[in-house]
Amino acid sequence: MNTECSQLLAPIHGFLHCATPDEWLAEARKPEHLAALLVDHANCEMKAAMSAHSLVRRYCLPKDKRKLLPNLDFYKSLDALPEKGEVLGKQALIGDNKRVFDELAKNDLLVKMVRLIQEELHHFEQVLEIMAARGIPYATLSASRYASGLLAHVRTHEPAAIVDRLIVGAYIEARSCERFARLAPFLDEELARFYVSLLRSEARHYQDYLTLAREHAGQSIDDRVVFFGEKEAELIALPDPQFRFHSGVPAAA
């Protein structure tokens, strides 16, 4: 792992309450699990895009304008550039879509989530390309308990709900980043290079989620961050009957 990757991973290791168990890593390295690993990885990228899209719809748009939010296909046509106006794709927007994005141009949640949606969709397509090249079909695969196990603890009143959802998003992104790094040395050259390439964006995603959670809370969120960190570590460390990208210790281990 090069210096840049080590620097990206250091705060993630400090943020997570446990490392990925060696038992999970031993299972993930088995060739017979590669198809499930890639299919679930693709699913995770799409779910991350959909989750960010849902946050934009619910928290960035007034109810009377939610129907105007572009669908996920729209984001694929935008260039993920750093300037706010370019990220929002104003030059590509017309009619109602342009009016909605103009109205919300100063919304930091919108800006960060649009960029995240674009990147997650791009990663999804990259995983599909790798699967296709290897003859691995994009089959139906049941979800792991991981995300639902975290979301079960989200409070139901606002602004607590969005704060908790953003913290959950931070942990999911941080764990993904940690597992990319743990897996990379044991994968073939193409997959190892791909997983290492994902570290930079995933590391930024978890930081974006945390920053937004603090901004929406308007007060310290340290207790909630610790709370979800403990719950996340439990899900990672406890026996899990399913093998998935974010699953816990294999039940047979």
Side-chain angles (χ1 to χ4, degrees):
M1 201 69 64
N2 61 34
T3 302
E4 182 190 10
C5 290
S6 297
Q7 291 174 342
L8 289 171
L9 288 166
I12 287 172
H13 291 156
F15 177 63
L16 295 172
H17 287 226
C18 72
T20 288
D22 291 338
E23 296 91 336
W24 181 90
L25 193 60
E27 201 70 14
R29 293 168 57 182
K30 295 179 180 179
E32 61 264 33
H33 287 315
L34 180 62
L37 189 71
L38 289 174
V39 171
D40 197 47
H41 180 185
N43 287 340
C44 288
E45 298 290 0
M46 177 55 73
K47 288 174 184 176
M50 293 173 66
S51 177
H53 187 259
S54 176
L55 287 173
V56 170
R57 182 180 184 276
R58 183 168 181 177
Y59 294 105
C60 292
L61 293 174
K63 288 184 179 180
D64 63 335
K65 289 188 171 66
R66 287 178 184 175
K67 67 180 184 298
L68 302 178
L69 183 65
N71 60 30
L72 286 178
D73 287 337
F74 169 81
Y75 298 101
K76 296 178 184 179
S77 67
L78 303 182
D79 293 326
L81 299 171
E83 292 301 321
K84 181 178 293 188
E86 292 170 317
V87 170
L88 293 177
K90 290 183 178 179
Q91 298 305 313
L93 290 162
I94 58 173
D96 289 335
N97 286 340
K98 187 177 190 308
R99 285 193 290 274
V100 169
F101 275 68
D102 281 342
E103 177 183 337
L104 300 166
K106 295 180 181 179
N107 188 311
D108 284 340
L109 175 63
L110 176 71
V111 175
K112 287 183 171 65
M113 290 300 101
V114 167
R115 181 186 290 128
L116 189 147
I117 291 167
Q118 292 171 282
E119 291 179 347
E120 302 292 14
L121 289 174
H122 178 58
H123 297 163
F124 170 73
E125 293 178 342
Q126 285 180 300
V127 179
L128 290 187
E129 289 174 3
I130 290 172
M131 289 169 54
R134 295 167 183 245
I136 298 173
Y138 185 42
T140 301
L141 195 66
S142 59
S144 72
R145 67 183 183 183
Y146 179 74
S148 60
L150 289 173
L151 291 170
H153 299 285
V154 170
R155 293 168 291 182
T156 56
H157 59 282
E158 298 294 357
I162 185 173
V163 170
D164 284 357
R165 285 183 177 276
L166 290 167
I167 294 172
V168 167
Y171 274 106
I172 293 173
E173 296 291 337
R175 180 61 64 185
S176 298
C177 197
E178 188 252 5
R179 289 208 160 169
F180 291 145
R182 290 295 304 276
L183 273 171
F186 304 104
L187 300 172
D188 60 73
E189 184 178 353
E190 180 193 28
L191 273 180
R193 189 167 55 247
F194 174 55
Y195 275 16
V196 169
S197 75
L198 296 178
L199 294 181
R200 188 178 294 105
S201 60
E202 299 294 343
R204 190 185 69 252
H205 291 171
Y206 109 85
Q207 292 168 339
D208 283 348
Y209 271 120
L210 274 184
T211 298
L212 291 166
R214 290 191 173 97
E215 290 175 355
H216 276 77
Q219 59 185 346
S220 174
I221 61 170
D222 292 349
D223 288 348
R224 294 303 287 177
V225 171
V226 171
F227 171 81
F228 278 106
E230 292 171 348
K231 296 301 179 184
E232 198 271 348
E234 288 176 8
L235 291 166
I236 291 299
L238 289 174
D240 199 332
Q242 289 183 311
F243 172 77
R244 297 290 186 266
F245 192 83
H246 290 103
S247 57
V249 174

